[in-house]
Amino acid sequence: EEVYNEILGFILEENEQRKIKDSEEDWLFRALGEINHLLGDEKERWIKIREITEKIAPNIFDEESKDFKKNKHGLSIFLGKIFKRTPLFKGRDVMGYPEYHFTRDNFNKFLKIKEFDKHPSFATTSPTNPIKSTLSTYTTNSTKPTKSVDKVELVEKEGGRE
């Protein structure tokens, strides 16, 4: 039984480490890290989706790619759909661009819902603790994350862009 408990402990620890690594490659996780940074010490703030994608897209996609703009737009649509469906965040269009109202309390609730609250990057949701990926996006080995998107859906809304 002692050996069983030791092996079980190793398996649980490995699963937790794998979950952390997988989350660092997740687009939403990276976006939440940027939102955390943008919120800073403020209790609430309106943040444009464009602000978030401008910061995180170069870390996800190859800027030299001919599809960079299309992929960045797809990322914007992806994030917009998530925040639009979340009742914690109120949205509005300003000059054709969507932005969402984030409060520190609702942001922390969303982290808990998505189970990112236990991640070391969010151990304390202070503005001085932005997410830093342990994966280099400029490595030359074969284990670097891919920077491609198979299909980007173009969605147009009346009176604005996503």
Side-chain angles (χ1 to χ4, degrees), residues 48-50 53 69 72-85 92-93 96-100 153-162:
K48 290 181 174 73
I49 293 292
R50 188 176 189 183
T53 56
K69 279 185 160 181
K72 188 168 72 168
H73 182 71
L75 174 62
S76 176
I77 291 168
F78 169 77
L79 295 174
K81 285 182 177 182
I82 289 173
F83 298 135
K84 188 176 192 173
R85 290 185 204 145
R92 66 183 182 190
D93 278 343
Y97 293 99
E99 62 180 32
Y100 291 87
E153 178 185 351
L154 180 61
V155 177
E156 292 185 18
K157 290 175 60 176
E158 288 184 346
R161 294 172 45 186
E162 274 277 78

Side-chain angles (χ1 to χ4, degrees), residues 22-96:
D22 289 345
S23 65
E24 290 176 349
E25 296 174 5
D26 184 91
W27 293 1
L28 178 60
F29 178 82
R30 289 175 181 227
L32 292 173
E34 184 59 29
I35 293 166
N36 186 46
H37 180 71
L38 291 170
L39 261 176
D41 288 332
E42 299 176 50
K43 290 185 180 187
E44 59 183 72
R45 179 174 175 199
W46 286 93
I47 300 175
K48 290 181 174 73
I49 293 292
R50 188 176 189 183
E51 268 184 277
I52 301 165
T53 56
E54 290 291 327
K55 287 284 195 174
I56 67 171
N59 296 325
I60 297 173
F61 308 113
D62 181 11
E63 289 183 85
E64 303 299 317
S65 168
K66 65 180 179 130
D67 293 331
F68 179 72
K69 279 185 160 181
K70 183 170 86 171
N71 292 337
K72 188 168 72 168
H73 182 71
L75 174 62
S76 176
I77 291 168
F78 169 77
L79 295 174
K81 285 182 177 182
I82 289 173
F83 298 135
K84 188 176 192 173
R85 290 185 204 145
T86 305
L88 295 172
F89 309 121
K90 185 168 68 171
R92 66 183 182 190
D93 278 343
V94 177
M95 298 178 72

Side-chain angles (χ1 to χ4, degrees), residues 32 35 39 43-44 83 86-90 101-114:
L32 292 173
I35 293 166
L39 261 176
K43 290 185 180 187
E44 59 183 72
F83 298 135
T86 305
L88 295 172
F89 309 121
K90 185 168 68 171
H101 186 247
F102 293 93
T103 65
R104 181 57 67 186
D105 289 339
N106 286 346
F107 179 76
N108 290 339
K109 287 176 189 175
F110 190 71
L111 286 179
K112 189 171 182 86
I113 290 167
K114 293 295 183 180

